[in-house]
Amino acid sequence: MRTAIIDLGTNTFHLLIVEGTATLYKSSIPAKIGMGGISQGVISEEGIQRALTVLKGFREVIDNQSVALENIFATGTSAIRNAGNKAEFIQRVAEETGIKIQVISGDEEAELICLGVKQAMKIPETSMIMDIGGGSVEFIICNDEKIFWKQSFEIGGQRLMDKFMKSDPISMRSVQMMDDFFREKLLPLANACHQYAPKVLIGSSGSFDTLVDMQYMKKKGQLPASDEVAFEYSLPEFYWAYDELIFKNHAERMQIPGMIELRVDMIVVAMCLIRFIIQTLEIQRIRVSSYALKEGVMARILS
């Protein structure tokens, strides 16, 4: 059975087409439905139009790959679940593309991300998975057997940019304000880490993929192979990347080998969040998984 999985993220829409466990097609396209509306709790008309353009393209691919309509699983996350015009958005997508969106809770999103990461790597010791989306950030404390704690926080990259990125390069004042904001908002996470003491951070997809791409371009002059899905990433490498990204402007960041247009701005606030987590929670090791939500959805369907 051929299955199409669509992850409608705040920043990027992802399409994964599989037959059994074999991947037939994979694509990620910026739709940026959070831009211009997420801080007001709506998806703007421009955002809706960008979404429809991407999803019409996805529908063509899905039809060309002979996937039945009932085997399309489209998942809506932070920007959609918090939008005041959520029902209108879902209706317009269904009318114009035939794709029916299922909106999932932050809790379910965290669970699916964890399931996706487990398809990429073993998690032998108590670790903390972190998935930075455009609308929300999910944290999951787990090992290979069970989830100890999970929570979704509405502090994703687009929200952080709207709130704190008032200049480019970002000002040190804004970075300090972000730290204060994280300290307040992430208190439940700090309490959970005090209880479970994870020392390994597993970053899933998004900005973490770009960090790995930067590392590979710097050290090997090429991007990782497409079938590589799990990586070790050193703390010194993170601090090198932090300095590279925080103190440069948009044009300078674009010149960094491994950088892509989709992440060139949002990665700045993502780096501030990652640094806060590493320092505050005394993280000793970083791993990166290219798999996240859509692979979790796939694993759930297959099981």
Side-chain angles (χ1 to χ4, degrees):
M1 182 181 83
R2 291 194 172 193
T3 305
I5 295 146
I6 302 172
D7 167 10
L8 293 93
T10 300
N11 200 31
T12 315
F13 286 2
H14 306 274
L15 171 62
L16 175 65
I17 299 177
V18 296
E19 188 159 23
T21 56
T23 298
L24 305 179
Y25 183 90
K26 200 173 183 178
S27 175
S28 297
I29 298 180
K32 299 188 176 180
I33 58 169
M35 186 187 286
I38 197 165
S39 297
Q40 290 76 46
V42 295
I43 301 170
S44 68
E45 181 56 35
E46 293 83 358
I48 293 172
Q49 290 303 328
R50 285 193 296 272
L52 289 169
T53 300
V54 174
L55 291 172
K56 283 172 184 173
F58 280 1
R59 183 63 205 271
E60 276 185 35
V61 173
I62 288 165
D63 290 346
N64 289 338
Q65 292 280 349
S66 306
V67 180
L69 193 57
E70 65 269 20
N71 293 333
I72 301 173
F73 297 87
T75 305
T77 56
S78 176
I80 300 173
R81 69 173 166 254
N82 292 296
N85 57 342
K86 168 173 67 179
E88 180 205 336
F89 175 78
I90 291 169
Q91 187 180 343
R92 284 179 66 179
V93 167
E95 286 171 356
E96 296 194 34
T97 70
I99 295 168
K100 292 178 180 170
I101 299 168
Q102 182 191 2
V103 181
I104 59 171
S105 68
D107 223 37
E108 190 175 359
E109 186 175 355
E111 207 163 288
L112 288 165
I113 288 163
C114 184
L115 187 56
V117 170
K118 285 178 179 178
Q119 310 311 303
M121 62 172 68
K122 283 265 183 216
I123 310 175
E125 58 202 309
T126 301
S127 302
M128 178 173 64
I129 297 170
M130 176 184 188
D131 186 290
I132 306 172
S136 62
V137 181
E138 282 67 46
F139 292 96
I140 307 102
I141 300 175
C142 65
N143 60 21
D144 228 33
E145 277 71 54
K146 66 181 287 195
I147 293 175
F148 301 109
W149 178 92
K150 63 184 187 294
Q151 192 168 332
S152 176
F153 295 85
E154 298 297 331
I155 58 165
Q158 188 64 54
R159 296 183 199 278
L160 293 175
M161 281 174 65
D162 288 357
K163 195 173 177 70
F164 296 107
M165 204 162 168
K166 306 298 184 188
S167 63
D168 188 24
I170 195 168
S171 71
M172 284 302 102
R173 173 80 185 120
S174 289
V175 173
Q176 287 163 355
M177 286 168 67
M178 241 187 295
D179 277 357
D180 293 339
F181 177 75
F182 296 146
R183 205 165 281 114
E184 179 192 339
K185 292 287 181 188
L186 296 176
L187 197 56
L189 174 68
N191 292 336
C193 287
H194 183 71
Q195 184 176 352
Y196 297 107
K199 295 301 175 203
V200 180
L201 171 65
I202 301 173
S204 67
S205 69
S207 294
F208 288 99
D209 282 342
T210 299
L211 289 178
V212 168
D213 288 350
M214 285 169 58
Q215 178 187 38
Y216 266 65
M217 290 303 291
K218 183 175 77 145
K219 294 192 169 171
K220 302 183 181 185
Q222 62 186 40
L223 294 172
S226 58
D227 59 351
E228 279 189 79
V229 294
F231 305 89
E232 290 289 332
Y233 188 83
S234 73
L235 285 170
E237 190 69 28
F238 171 78
Y239 285 111
W240 169 82
Y242 179 84
D243 287 344
E244 279 288 285
L245 294 164
I246 293 293
F247 300 110
K248 290 182 173 175
N249 64 27
H250 177 101
E252 291 166 334
R253 290 191 300 274
M254 267 316 296
Q255 295 304 309
I256 301 170
M259 181 54 66
I260 56 172
E261 180 70 44
L262 171 65
R263 301 221 175 89
V264 66
D265 294 324
M266 208 171 279
I267 201 165
V268 174
V269 292
M271 292 303 278
C272 292
L273 175 55
I274 299 165
R275 176 194 48 75
F276 177 85
I277 292 296
I278 289 170
Q279 291 179 345
T280 310
L281 305 176
E282 298 177 356
I283 295 295
Q284 294 167 4
R285 180 183 169 204
I286 305 175
R287 303 173 75 194
V288 176
S289 162
S290 294
Y291 285 1
L293 178 69
K294 61 187 181 298
E295 288 80 12
V297 174
M298 179 184 78
R300 181 173 283 182
I301 291 165
L302 290 174
S303 67

